[in-house]
């Protein structure tokens, strides 16, 4: 029996997928039962469930969407694209009373999200977003990084990356 894995991220998808992206997800589907909860034009094709992903409402609603997927799909693991998605997954796991393992991928410095990007008022969220991101890193079942730099961010919080996938 293939393991069931739910991928959660804000990444935007357009269905049908472009051929290179379709090959990636098809290759993963050969090894595991895959579902993706991501951003894009709202739709559900059985594998991809897309939600509007360019607003703060995405993160407010995300724990409830993930909890629904945890109850319906019953994955063995959830792979979260960033500490922010991982925080939502951790809340959803409690809501759904799921035992799915949470794998957090760290692609960059979470402290820059509110400090360097978006409107000036977004900077006011900095202290809260840092606390949420750090808690998610500490509470995830496993953390995967993409570089020595992102590994150092995780280690600074006392967490050893389970793997580093250098891109």
């Amino acid at each position: 029996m293939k393991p069931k894995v739910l991928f959660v991220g804000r990444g935007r998808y357009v269905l049908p997928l472009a051929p290179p992206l379709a090959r990636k997800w098809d290759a993963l589907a050969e090894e595991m039962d895959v579902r993706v909860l991501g951003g894009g034009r709202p739709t559900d094709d059985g594998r991809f469930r897309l939600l509007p992903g360019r607003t703060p409402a995405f993160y407010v609603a995300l724990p409830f969407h993930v909890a629904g997927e945890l109850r319906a799909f019953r994955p063995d693991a959830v792979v979260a694209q960033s500490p922010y998605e991982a925080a939502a997954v951790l809340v959803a796991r409690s809501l759904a009373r799921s035992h799915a393992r949470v794998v957090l991928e760290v692609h960059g410095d979470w402290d820059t999200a509110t400090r360097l990007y978006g409107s000036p008022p977004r900077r006011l969220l900095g202290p809260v977003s840092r606390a949420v991101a750090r808690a998610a890193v500490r509470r995830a079942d496993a953390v995967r990084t993409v570089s020595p730099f992102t590994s150092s961010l995780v280690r600074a919080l006392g967490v050893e990356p389970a793997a580093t996938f250098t891109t």
Side-chain angles (χ1 to χ4, degrees):
M1 183 200 274
K2 294 181 188 179
K4 291 177 155 187
V5 181
L6 173 63
F7 290 83
V8 177
R10 191 173 155 208
R12 295 188 56 82
Y13 294 97
V14 175
L15 299 178
L17 296 173
L21 200 51
R23 281 192 301 274
K24 167 193 163 180
W25 290 106
D26 289 344
L28 285 171
E30 288 178 16
E31 302 297 322
M32 59 188 78
D33 191 358
V34 174
R35 286 227 186 138
V36 179
L37 187 57
R41 293 187 75 185
T43 190
D44 186 343
D45 75 350
R47 182 186 292 174
F48 283 81
R49 182 165 171 227
L50 304 181
L51 311 168
R54 293 286 179 208
T55 67
F58 176 84
Y59 288 105
V60 172
L62 191 58
F64 303 102
H65 289 291
V66 173
E69 289 294 322
L70 290 172
R71 288 185 195 107
F73 182 51
R74 302 182 56 81
D76 300 300
V78 181
V79 178
Q81 179 183 5
S82 81
Y84 305 112
E85 284 88 355
V89 170
L90 290 164
V91 169
R93 186 169 70 173
S94 289
L95 290 172
R97 295 190 173 123
S98 170
H99 298 290
R101 310 264 299 160
V102 178
V103 179
L104 162 59
E105 293 189 334
V106 178
H107 295 233
D109 183 351
W110 52 81
D111 285 345
T112 64
T114 53
R115 193 174 64 229
L116 300 179
Y117 304 105
S119 66
R122 188 174 176 181
R123 289 187 191 105
L124 298 173
L125 296 174
V128 173
S129 71
R130 272 192 301 280
V132 166
R134 291 173 181 177
V137 170
R138 289 184 179 115
R139 291 189 174 109
D141 296 301
V143 177
R144 192 169 81 161
T145 60
V146 297
S147 68
F149 171 71
T150 55
S151 293
S152 72
L153 295 173
V154 170
R155 286 186 182 115
L157 296 179
V159 175
E160 185 61 29
T164 300
F165 178 73
T166 305
T167 56

